[in-house]
Amino acid sequence: MTRPASENELPQLYEQMLLIRAYEEKIVEASAAGKVPGTCTSVGQEAAAVGVVNALGGADLILTNHRSAAHLIARGADPGRLLAEVMGRSAGYCQGKSGSLHISVKELGVVLTSTIVGAELSLATGVALAQGMLGKPGIVVCFFGDGAACEGAFHESLNLASVWNLPILYVCENNQWQAFVHRRETMRRDHVADWAVPYDIPARTVDGNNVEAVLAAARAAAAEVRASGRPFLLETYTYRSRGHFEPDDQAYVDPAERAAWAARDPIAACRDRLLATGRLTASQDAALADKVQSRIAVALAFAEASPYPALSEMTTDVYA
């Protein structure tokens, strides 16, 4: 039996979501000012990332996609080193050579960030197979979106994971948009979880904007993967509030749709629950907001002060 978020956990999850939102909004702001290259954000999807990552153990491995900042920060990545990486500075996690789209953090178990849509699905099976052959503990968690689920790699990965009995927790962050195309234009169904059934893989869809619900569902799913040694697909039904890539004016999005999902913002919803149950006061909320903004300001200053990699390091640790 899995447990829901404890009395003390929800405030911690809320702070993580605030930090992720502040980090990505700083990137948007700095990108508009020409200080930081444009990138893909996951604004609006914070509850999905925080809920799943907090359900994992230290030995679990993560493969993620081009919207990886939330996964990395929830896993404990330092915002300063992340910003340094995005800005191409030597203090970044990959010495400034990956940008925002290829960050890996070995010490946190983040095997890779893939900018190729669906590529992490192809690689997750190999990582899980290697874990088993090497006798290493931990399950493999693969984050992808509804766009990747419409590619052949999704079906090939699920089929192989099922046939080979691989301990993979597939996490589809169904955010409704596939670059500049709405999910309705590429899928006959609303839910990706339905597609796991033909591969004999159990699946569940959860409200991806409710961090407590995601945490509970992810704990149950991870427990099932550990017990069975077989794959599970968890779909977090959420929404990408910003465009595909910064800058993006989202002129192609129906304003009514954006307003409807804005009313379900995961951070505002979590704040309301905390305030309503007395687990957070208005003054504590304001202090938390100041705390994360200060941390992001320090992170940006750290990144800006970091030097660019030396020319002599151009090909070091570059494999392709």
Side-chain angles (χ1 to χ4, degrees):
M1 183 175 183
T2 58
R3 59 185 174 83
S6 67
E7 185 73 15
N8 295 326
E9 275 183 307
L10 189 56
Q12 296 170 4
L13 302 178
Y14 174 61
E15 183 173 347
Q16 284 185 23
M17 292 196 293
L18 284 177
L19 182 62
I20 292 165
R21 179 72 60 89
Y23 172 85
E24 296 204 302
E25 287 183 340
K26 179 58 70 179
I27 283 193
V28 172
E29 176 188 317
S31 177
K35 294 182 177 180
V36 175
T39 190
C40 300
T41 74
S42 59
V43 174
Q45 303 176 206
E46 295 88 352
V50 168
V52 171
V53 173
N54 278 273
L56 306 181
D60 297 335
L61 300 179
I62 295 174
L63 289 83
T64 178
N65 57 33
H66 52 288
R67 304 189 192 282
S68 65
H71 309 139
L72 287 156
I73 292 174
R75 191 65 167 173
D78 173 52
R81 293 193 65 189
L82 288 178
L83 272 170
E85 190 59 50
V86 173
M87 296 169 69
R89 307 302 178 99
S90 61
Y93 277 108
C94 299
Q95 293 78 52
K97 298 175 184 174
S98 79
S100 64
L101 300 178
H102 297 280
I103 296 177
S104 62
V105 186
K106 183 178 180 180
E107 59 267 35
L108 297 178
V110 181
V111 178
L112 60 85
T113 292
S114 172
T115 188
I116 305 300
V117 175
E120 68 276 20
L121 285 158
S122 301
L123 296 167
T125 47
V127 174
L129 180 63
Q131 286 291 97
M133 293 177 71
L134 295 171
K136 292 186 176 180
I139 64 173
V140 172
V141 182
C142 180
F143 287 99
F144 61 99
D146 43 295
C150 293
E151 295 189 349
F154 166 79
H155 298 276
E156 293 172 2
S157 182
L158 265 66
N159 182 59
L160 201 58
S162 181
V163 171
W164 285 359
N165 295 315
L166 299 177
I168 302 176
L169 174 56
Y170 290 100
V171 180
C172 178
E173 295 172 311
N174 186 342
N175 67 13
Q176 316 301 317
W177 282 90
Q178 303 172 1
F180 305 100
V181 178
H182 196 280
R183 175 185 52 73
R184 289 191 297 269
E185 297 181 57
T186 64
M187 295 172 58
R188 289 294 187 188
R189 295 172 176 268
D190 284 334
H191 296 295
V192 172
D194 298 341
W195 292 347
V197 176
Y199 300 105
D200 196 26
I201 293 176
R204 179 183 173 186
T205 298
V206 65
D207 178 359
N209 282 19
N210 183 328
V211 69
E212 290 176 285
V214 175
L215 178 65
R219 279 178 171 159
E224 185 163 337
V225 173
R226 294 184 208 287
S228 68
R230 285 187 44 76
F232 189 103
L233 194 155
L234 178 65
E235 177 184 26
T236 59
Y237 203 70
T238 182
Y239 192 74
R240 189 191 77 205
S241 298
R242 295 197 63 83
H244 171 57
F245 192 88
E246 299 297 335
D248 181 345
D249 63 9
Q250 294 181 278
Y252 50 89
V253 183
D254 182 351
E257 175 185 301
R258 292 183 63 187
W261 279 95
R264 297 181 51 197
D265 182 83
I267 294 178
C270 185
R271 179 189 299 118
D272 290 345
R273 288 197 297 277
L274 286 167
L275 291 171
T277 55
R279 286 177 284 179
L280 183 74
T281 66
S283 61
Q284 289 171 330
D285 185 39
L288 269 181
D290 289 343
K291 178 183 175 183
V292 299
Q293 290 297 337
S294 296
R295 190 173 173 189
I296 294 302
V298 170
L300 181 61
F302 167 81
E304 289 180 324
S306 174
Y308 289 104
L311 187 60
S312 60
E313 295 292 312
M314 180 180 292
T315 59
T316 304
D317 298 328
V318 176
Y319 302 101

